[in-house]
């Protein structure tokens, strides 16, 4: 089942969700905190109403931007690793234990929008029930541990919603009514780890799922690429022959060079 869907009635230009059941799913936005904690109990229904109004042309993207102009994408996580806890070291200094941020406490994170010194700024702050408050107060940059301040470091909620609307459905064909499963042809296999123990750090974009590749198979495939095909990928004759020679002589290959990455793209488009 697709994870972005809504079951609703559209009659007399009015939108109403099916009763007695949760008939909509915001899988891609479920990580966000309640956007209207003091006024709207089911904020996901509120967003789906706006998404459907946008779909039927009752509102525009500009209307979405105006409605959510003062709100930002904020998520709540748990201090579940030493890496996360260490970022609060300065904040915990000279505080009593009961005032410190401790293991398994909640904390809040924003979603990076800009880079400084080629590093994405990743806002994190102590937990508060007034989630949007952290946008206007000093926060800790997960990447550097430095204290920063400014709403420009936080991703606007309107942008998050509009990106969500435009997010493609990879498993099914169609946009409305009954969708059909996509037919796929597997041209390769990559093993990855779920990294369940690092799920909080994945939300901060500091822990990626580990990939396990069959390096020997990749080297064999590169040896089978012709000179013409390699040059079409932007790999010069001398560079390509050098790569092949290292594979044959050393039985190894540096997978992270620009030339090798271009050769790997040949496998993908085959």
């Amino acid at each position: 089942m697709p994870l972005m869907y809504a079951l609703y009635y559209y009659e007399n230009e009015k939108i109403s969700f099916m009763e007695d059941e949760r008939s909509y799913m915001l899988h891609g936005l479920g990580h966000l905190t309640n956007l209207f904690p003091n006024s709207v109990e089911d904020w996901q229904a509120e967003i789906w109403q706006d998404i459907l109004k946008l779909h039927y042309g009752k509102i525009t993207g500009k209307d979405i931007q105006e409605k959510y102009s003062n709100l930002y994408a904020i998520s709540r996580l748990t201090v579940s690793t030493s890496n996360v806890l260490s970022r609060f070291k300065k904040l915990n200094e000279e505080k009593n234990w009961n005032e410190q941020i401790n293991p398994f406490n909640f904390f809040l994170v924003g979603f990076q929008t800009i880079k400084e010194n080629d590093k994405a700024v990743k806002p994190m702050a102590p937990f508060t029930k007034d989630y949007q408050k952290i946008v206007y107060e000093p926060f800790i940059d997960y990447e550097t541990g430095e204290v920063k301040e400014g709403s420009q470091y936080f991703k606007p909620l309107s942008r998050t919603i509009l990106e969500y609307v435009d997010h493609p459905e990879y498993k099914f064909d169609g946009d409305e009514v009954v969708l059909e499963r996509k037919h796929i042809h597997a041209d390769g296999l990559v093993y990855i780890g779920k990294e369940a123990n690092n799920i909080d750090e994945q939300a901060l974009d500091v822990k990626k799922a580990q990939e396990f590749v069959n390096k020997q198979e990749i080297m064999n495939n590169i040896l089978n690429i012709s000179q013409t095909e390699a040059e079409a990928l932007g790999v010069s004759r001398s560079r390509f022959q050098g790569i092949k020679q290292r594979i044959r002589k050393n039985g190894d290959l540096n997978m992270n060079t620009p030339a090798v990455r271009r050769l790997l793209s040949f496998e993908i488009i085959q």
Side-chain angles (χ1 to χ4, degrees):
M1 176 178 288
L3 297 177
M4 299 167 57
Y5 69 86
L7 304 176
Y8 61 95
Y9 301 103
Y10 185 64
E11 298 176 337
N12 300 322
E13 297 189 351
K14 291 185 178 180
I15 300 166
S16 58
F17 296 112
M18 293 184 176
E19 298 179 356
D20 301 324
E21 60 179 296
R22 191 175 182 83
S23 58
Y24 45 85
M25 179 67 70
L26 278 179
H27 178 77
L29 297 180
H31 61 287
L32 299 179
T33 55
N34 187 346
L35 314 174
F36 320 98
N38 299 320
S39 57
V40 178
E41 182 177 350
D42 195 342
W43 61 271
Q44 294 192 4
E46 180 81 6
I47 289 183
W48 259 117
Q49 281 280 350
D50 289 333
I51 289 175
L52 292 172
K53 288 177 182 177
L54 182 65
H55 173 72
Y56 286 109
K58 293 182 172 296
I59 61 174
T60 65
K62 186 176 181 180
D63 294 323
I64 296 283
Q65 292 175 342
E66 291 179 354
K67 178 175 180 177
Y68 299 97
S69 61
N70 295 322
L71 296 172
Y72 296 83
I74 305 293
S75 184
R76 185 185 74 173
L77 298 177
T78 303
V79 181
S80 58
T81 69
S82 58
N83 286 336
V84 173
L85 181 62
S86 66
R87 296 307 190 274
F88 290 106
K89 183 177 180 180
K90 289 183 179 179
L91 202 63
N92 282 338
E93 287 179 353
E94 299 181 359
K95 288 185 178 180
N96 294 327
W97 172 260
N98 60 351
E99 296 176 337
Q100 293 181 6
I101 297 172
N102 296 310
F104 305 109
N105 285 169
F106 291 129
F107 69 100
L108 299 175
V109 297
F111 294 86
Q112 59 267 23
T113 58
I114 61 177
K115 289 184 177 181
E116 291 183 349
N117 299 320
D118 293 326
K119 291 184 177 181
V121 177
K122 302 168 183 175
M124 56 188 297
F127 179 77
T128 172
K129 291 183 179 180
D130 187 358
Y131 310 125
Q132 297 293 316
K133 181 181 178 182
I134 70 169
V135 176
Y136 307 102
E137 295 183 345
F139 64 85
I140 298 171
D141 177 14
Y142 182 95
E143 193 68 43
T144 64
E146 297 176 359
V147 176
K148 301 179 184 293
E149 186 174 1
S151 61
Q152 71 272 19
Y153 293 108
F154 291 81
K155 188 175 183 179
L157 182 61
S158 58
R159 179 174 150 194
T160 302
I161 293 173
L162 292 174
E163 287 178 354
Y164 179 78
V165 171
D166 292 333
H167 190 279
E169 171 56 60
Y170 292 111
K171 298 178 181 178
F172 292 81
D173 284 323
D175 298 314
E176 298 177 305
V177 197
V178 179
L179 307 185
E180 295 184 2
R181 285 188 178 275
K182 286 183 180 292
H183 297 282
I184 64 171
H185 173 71
D187 58 5
L189 185 65
V190 176
Y191 296 97
I192 65 170
K194 293 186 68 174
E195 319 301 335
N197 293 333
N198 298 322
I199 190 69
D200 284 348
E201 292 182 87
Q202 286 186 45
L204 287 168
D205 197 29
V206 295
K207 288 286 185 181
K208 300 292 187 181
Q210 186 177 4
E211 292 188 2
F212 302 89
V213 298
N214 189 331
K215 196 171 185 179
Q216 186 60 52
E217 181 180 350
I218 290 174
M219 291 190 294
N220 291 339
N221 290 339
I222 289 177
L223 291 175
N224 290 326
I225 296 176
S226 70
Q227 182 64 53
T228 302
E229 291 166 336
E231 291 180 0
L233 293 170
V235 181
S236 67
R237 176 179 293 272
S238 60
R239 183 63 57 84
F240 183 52
Q241 293 304 318
I243 291 172
K244 282 189 168 184
Q245 184 177 357
R246 282 191 291 274
I247 292 175
R248 294 190 180 104
K249 183 178 180 180
N250 303 325
D252 198 9
L253 179 67
N254 183 351
M255 307 277 285
N256 294 317
T257 67
V260 171
R261 288 188 177 278
R262 283 194 285 269
L263 294 174
L264 291 177
S265 69
F266 177 80
E267 292 188 278
I268 296 174
I269 62 178
Q270 279 289 79

